[in-house]
Amino acid sequence: MAVRDYLKRSILRVAALLVPKEKVVADVSELSASDMLRGRCALITGGTSGIGYEMAKAFVKAGATVVVTGRNRERVNEACRKLESEVGTEGAVYGMAWDNTKVKEMPDRFREALALAGDRKIDILVNNAGLVGGEISDCTEEDFDAIVDTNLKGTFFLSQLVARYFINNKIKGNILNIGSSSSLRPATSAYTMTKWAVYGLTRGLAKILAPHGITVNGLAPGPTATPMLMPGGIKDDIAFGNSLGRYELPCEIANMAVFLVSGMGRAVIGDMVFMTGGSGVVTYDDVHYSF
């Protein structure tokens, strides 16, 4: 089944679970501009929209330089222009087309990223690129391979590559894996399976890399108001049938990401920080399970 069709079906299923009471809006705070990441340089995969884009924006506001990746060059360029416009900072945002499922090309792509960063050493990796879908009831082999290659294989081998770079250059950096509340749920899809695996990989990487001064953690959102779940754009009413009563906002996830990769988060090692609004933590009833 095509990923787009899966998204449409999933959204309709979730909508059926909601019992509208009143319009729901989010009253959240964003981190102010700071020096929390001053002098740092982050490589963020899947940084052209949604959570990845908001993390890039938050990192730059905190003083970092970012290199964002995406499969489509035009989308990457547009995201970089938008980031610079919104943050008002020149020379802190770079972008490149990169398909992280092509493992053999990774060393060349990473060298390109380092060249973009210039005299700054990349010391933060955010594994954010991902695909949803792959319900066991109608998943095709092609869908399965695309989801697993993007969410898991790409994350595994890019982490391997960057970890070697950190160790060889004595960089006490950070790897942040973007997980999901799905890693707390019964695994009935290729997507959910990959997020279970990323949860385990995060702990494994943290165990073997902590002695080198490399901090590895994960950040697991619940249903979030992004183009992935809202292809038609974020609505004014973001009601959702979880304990929070609404979708999370990408900026909320980005706030926590800044903390986790900053010096303030050094004592957090091997954790998956669940920002799920209760999804998968205290309720499973906000999604539909069937064959």
Side-chain angles (χ1 to χ4, degrees), residues 11 63 91 96 135 156 163 250:
I11 292 169
M96 57 183 294
E135 287 290 338
F156 181 95

Side-chain angles (χ1 to χ4, degrees), residues 54-251:
E54 288 298 324
M55 285 191 294
K57 183 165 70 172
F59 283 17
V60 173
K61 287 175 60 178
T65 299
V66 298
V67 179
V68 298
T69 77
R71 297 185 185 187
N72 183 286
R73 164 59 67 182
E74 291 183 1
R75 289 190 63 191
V76 170
N77 291 342
E78 177 59 29
C80 289
R81 287 192 291 268
K82 185 179 176 184
L83 275 170
E84 288 189 340
S85 174
E86 290 185 357
V87 180
T89 303
E90 294 184 2
V93 179
Y94 302 90
M96 57 183 294
W98 184 343
D99 182 348
N100 74 331
T101 67
K102 297 179 178 179
V103 175
K104 291 182 180 179
E105 297 180 3
M106 276 187 179
D108 290 337
R109 298 290 83 75
F110 188 58
R111 280 190 286 270
E112 290 179 26
L114 290 172
L116 288 174
D119 58 356
R120 312 171 188 86
K121 290 183 177 180
I122 291 175
D123 57 3
I124 300 170
L125 167 64
V126 180
N127 285 305
N128 172 71
L131 294 176
V132 298
E135 287 290 338
I136 195 169
S137 58
D138 47 25
C139 181
T140 66
E141 183 179 1
E142 290 74 17
D143 289 338
F144 183 91
D145 288 345
I147 293 164
V148 173
D149 286 355
T150 301
N151 298 5
L152 184 55
K153 187 173 79 171
T155 295
F156 181 95
F157 284 104
L158 185 54
S159 296
Q160 178 193 71
L161 176 64
V162 171
R164 285 175 177 164
Y165 165 77
F166 284 172
I167 292 170
N168 291 340
N169 290 276
K170 295 180 170 53
I171 296 172
K172 299 184 185 302
N174 294 78
I175 297 177
L176 181 65
N177 295 325
I178 303 304
S180 170
S181 62
S182 294
S183 64
L184 296 173
R185 299 179 184 277
T188 60
S189 69
Y191 172 79
T192 304
M193 289 169 59
T194 63
K195 292 306 179 180
W196 274 67
V198 167
Y199 189 5
L201 176 63
T202 299
R203 299 179 69 178
L205 287 171
K207 176 67 174 177
I208 61 177
L209 296 179
H212 298 278
I214 301 167
T215 304
V216 182
N217 286 297
L219 181 51
T224 307
T226 67
M228 183 178 285
L229 291 184
M230 294 184 172
I234 297 175
K235 310 301 182 184
D236 291 336
D237 187 354
I238 55 173
F240 189 78
N242 57 5
S243 302
L244 181 64
R246 63 168 174 82
Y247 284 91
E248 298 159 55
L249 297 185
C251 66

